[in-house]
């Protein structure tokens, strides 16, 4: 492309690193002299196995995933996992869920198909105040609420039962404290790659608790035993994800490299954007400072009659997909790993310019 | 690419039409001036919705899918559907399965998690001889057994219960007689597009029979009500599938166009290959003539000590992925829609040349 690409603030599927897309295009008809597109490779052939193993190894290194955790490449997304997790882990039928926003509310509702669900919290709150059962099979937390713009800055420390985290919308944006986690899952379509791939990290001692009605293709133990190839995995999405992992590994910023560099840039992007919103009299973000998301920044125009003009002007300024989720209205800027600093700066310039004209 | 691509006989993921791969590469960084890759688009945005609607409409037209069938774009593949089908349809817990090969055997085993399964047939046989129950929820048939190379040339006519067909490995290679079908499913990775997309065609009167333990993301009714967007669908795979549908629609051969042209070429490819195998004294296909698959042609070298030499020579002749499935050994040539006639001719030349040298 000769002209620069617009900045894409979609909440997911979302912006991907431009060099990754370029490499995918280049290798489309012939991956590494194999004479095949990655889409055309048998998942059991040596070419794809090498792609798969490299992706898994890079991911394990980036997130410092301990040896006792298995990494599974699955399908069905976060909403699929809302059923797959209890089918795999709700052995005695007791699940505690902290409801901190739209996603955890959906998780609680779906888990009720398989278990007695206790709501541990009705909103973001200190873990010490949660209602937890000593005999729960697990505690479910959504560590970044994409719609509400709420993020746990630190993982809750739960002593009653294994912690399951839905980290779909901030995975790989920061490290994970594995000592506090039993199982983590993430749809790929925000920070990882194409929609249709779901990553699951599961501690080995949790592999043997599935309900008899758990489908084989979604049974963590079966998937782990088959190196994610019990059924045909989403091969092309795994390939793209592997390139994204490599891009993060090679990323450098402010004297750092890899995940630390990505996190540093994410902190700076979010700090700049929240400061701009807080400093304005036209816009507002309504999330308490201690749980504001670095990834998803919902905001409102105080005069909502300006919404359409705001969005039209944004499109003209090459700032795409800023409309908020239909359930909460307003605007939302998702500033995932692949959003450059320049994208946030361009958004802030536009916010200020629009405020000057309409404030 | 300057040199011609090798011929890829993989059973799946499998060869795709070269013009489709070229278009995907071209549009990778900027789909139709949108400034986004298809991978980066919100599934709810107008750009992706247009891609989705075009794909569905073309597919409906190609297969002449009647209005009373819903087309669902799902995830999990054929092995996932082995559980998803009974969770959606085994309302009274009685399922009849015709076991005609490896795939239907797996389907029967998985259905036992949810239902009492009766084996209607132990091998390919006339429907009149099948043991069927008047009160079964459905009858499951795999209409093309990828591993065994067995294909129903005509859909069984079942009067006792709705017929469910697993048509993963021959979908879109020939028409479907919808008057005999209640539900059909197909993993995409043979004739449709990238692995990770699963197509389900379901008659509307079957939408309301799910078991309470059926996950929402895999509940046909929920998926139908949300136009396959209850959870984020595998957007990029749907885009590629849509291009493949369009390629079939525009395909012309022997004075025909569209699916009729594809079928005509498939018949000719299979006829040529079976004739070459039957006419040799070195190779044999062991499937009865009335149920030989047009898509997957397993064959054996009568002297199996020559297997390695055969495969090495094939690779040198740019004929890829001819090794048979590990459970049955020997060789297998999968000659899906995207395999050109020239690929089959090149394979036959190699077969004859190898026989001259080693026969």
């Amino acid at each position: 492309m000769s002209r620069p690409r617009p900045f894409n603030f979609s909440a997911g599927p979302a912006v991907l690193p431009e060099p990754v897309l370029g490499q995918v295009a280049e290798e489309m008809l012939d991956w590494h002299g194999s004479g095949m597109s990655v889409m055309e490779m048998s998942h059991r052939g040596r070419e794809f196995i090498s792609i798969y193993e490299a992706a898994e190894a890079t991911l394990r290194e980036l997130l410092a995933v301990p040896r006792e955790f298995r990494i599974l490449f699955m399908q069905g997304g976060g909403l699929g996992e809302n059923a797959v997790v209890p089918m795999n882990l709700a052995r005695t039928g007791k699940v505690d869920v902290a409801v901190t926003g739209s996603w955890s509310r959906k998780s609680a509702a779906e888990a009720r198909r398989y278990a007695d669900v206790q709501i541990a919290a009705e909103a973001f709150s200190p873990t010490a105040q949660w209602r937890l059962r000593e005999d729960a099979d697990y505690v479910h937390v959504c560590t970044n609420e994409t719609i509400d713009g709420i993020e746990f800055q630190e993982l809750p420390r739960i002593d009653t039962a294994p912690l399951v985290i839905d980290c779909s919308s901030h995975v790989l944006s920061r490290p994970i404290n594995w000592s506090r986690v039993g199982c983590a899952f993430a749809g790929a379509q925000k920070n990882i790659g194409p929609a249709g791939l779901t990553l699951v990290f599961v501690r080995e001692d949790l592999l043997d608790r599935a309900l008899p009605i758990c489908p084989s293709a979604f049974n963590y133990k079966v998937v782990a035993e088959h190196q994610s190839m019990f059924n045909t995995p989403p091969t092309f999405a795994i390939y793209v994800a592997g390139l994204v992992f490599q891009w993060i590994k090679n990323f450098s910023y402010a004297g750092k490299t890899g995940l630390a560099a990505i996190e540093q840039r994410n902190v700076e992007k979010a700090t700049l954007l929240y400061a701009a919103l807080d400093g304005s009299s036209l816009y507002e973000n309504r999330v308490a400072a201690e749980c504001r998301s670095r990834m998803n920044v919902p905001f409102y125009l105080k005069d909502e009659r300006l919404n359409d003009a705001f969005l039209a002007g944004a499109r003209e300024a090459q700032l795409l997909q800023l409309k908020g989720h239909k359930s909460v209205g307003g605007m939302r800027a998702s500033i995932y790993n692949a959003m450059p600093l320049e994208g946030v700066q361009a958004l802030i310039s536009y916010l200020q310019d629009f405020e000057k004209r309409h404030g």
Side-chain angles (χ1 to χ4, degrees), chain A:
Chain A
M1 300 221 324
S2 43
R3 65 187 173 86
R5 305 178 83 218
F7 294 113
N8 175 0
F9 296 92
S10 172
V15 57
L16 288 169
E18 192 169 331
V20 166
L21 294 174
Q23 186 173 346
V24 170
E26 261 173 47
E27 298 178 344
M28 184 56 65
L29 279 91
D30 183 15
W31 183 84
H32 294 200
S34 67
M36 298 181 277
S37 173
V38 174
M39 286 187 221
E40 302 177 301
M41 291 176 185
S42 166
H43 53 301
R44 303 196 189 282
R46 64 187 159 81
E47 294 88 353
F48 183 73
I49 296 283
S50 75
I51 290 171
Y52 172 84
E53 288 179 347
E56 203 224 353
T58 311
L59 176 60
R60 190 174 282 276
E61 180 187 339
L62 285 174
L63 280 175
V65 182
R67 199 178 299 186
E68 65 268 25
F69 279 78
R70 300 296 299 263
I71 302 179
L72 313 179
F73 292 81
M74 299 182 63
Q75 301 179 50
L79 285 173
E81 286 301 316
N82 282 346
V84 171
V85 168
M87 287 196 289
N88 274 282
L89 300 180
R91 186 169 42 171
T92 74
K94 285 186 186 165
V95 174
D96 292 348
V97 180
V99 172
T100 53
S102 308
W103 279 94
S104 44
R105 191 170 298 114
K106 285 188 185 185
S107 300
E110 185 76 1
R112 288 208 170 87
R113 291 188 188 284
Y114 312 98
D116 172 60
V117 172
Q118 175 168 293
I119 304 301
E122 312 265 2
F124 186 86
S125 54
T127 317
Q129 297 171 14
W130 291 6
R131 290 178 301 282
L132 298 170
R133 292 177 290 191
E134 288 292 336
D135 58 348
D137 292 310
Y138 63 90
V139 179
H140 177 107
V141 171
C142 176
T143 47
N144 189 72
E145 292 275 5
T146 323
I147 292 176
D148 308 270
I150 289 172
E151 183 174 14
F152 283 77
Q153 304 303 317
E154 197 180 345
L155 286 185
R157 181 175 171 163
I158 306 287
D159 298 318
T160 48
L163 176 66
V164 174
I165 62 171
D166 173 359
C167 57
S168 294
S169 50
H170 72 161
V171 65
L172 280 171
S173 73
R174 59 195 304 160
I176 292 177
N177 181 350
W178 293 105
S179 71
R180 298 193 173 176
V181 175
C183 175
F185 66 85
Q189 67 271 21
K190 285 102 162 48
N191 267 327
I192 293 174
L197 169 65
T198 312
L199 293 188
V200 177
F201 307 82
V202 58
R203 219 173 51 209
E204 282 176 346
D205 63 292
L206 300 176
L207 280 176
D208 210 4
R209 305 184 174 196
L211 309 184
I213 49 106
C214 183
S216 305
F218 295 99
N219 180 307
Y220 293 159
K221 186 166 188 234
V222 172
V223 176
E225 284 171 350
H226 289 80
Q227 285 76 45
S228 301
M229 298 202 193
F230 172 75
N231 57 354
T232 310
T235 50
F236 189 76
I238 292 172
Y239 154 70
V240 177
L243 296 180
V244 172
F245 301 155
Q246 199 60 48
W247 173 80
I248 296 175
K249 183 175 169 178
N250 297 333
F251 189 78
S252 58
Y253 184 78
K256 300 178 178 179
T257 57
L259 192 63
I262 280 283
E263 183 181 24
Q264 177 67 34
R265 193 174 75 165
N266 286 335
V267 168
E268 293 182 19
K269 281 152 49 184
T271 304
L272 282 173
L273 183 51
Y274 283 113
L277 294 169
D278 291 344
S280 90
S281 52
L282 182 64
Y283 312 104
E284 58 172 345
N285 168 278
R286 298 171 184 168
V287 180
E290 77 268 19
C291 60
R292 280 176 165 181
S293 170
R294 294 176 183 167
M295 296 284 102
N296 309 99
V297 184
F299 60 95
Y300 294 87
L301 276 66
K302 287 177 185 167
D303 181 353
E304 297 232 308
R305 290 169 304 179
L306 294 172
N307 280 359
D308 289 347
F310 178 87
L311 286 169
R315 273 193 300 274
E316 260 174 53
Q318 300 283 291
L319 307 170
L320 306 181
Q321 309 208 57
L322 281 163
K323 193 171 181 182
H325 192 270
K326 60 180 191 292
S327 65
V328 293
M331 308 296 154
R332 175 173 50 175
S334 294
I335 49 176
Y336 296 121
N337 285 349
M339 173 61 65
L341 187 62
E342 295 71 29
V344 173
Q345 290 165 336
L347 173 58
I348 292 172
S349 292
Y350 174 69
L351 288 169
Q352 294 171 342
D353 180 61
F354 186 85
E355 182 166 1
K356 262 183 221 141
R357 286 184 285 127
H358 297 92

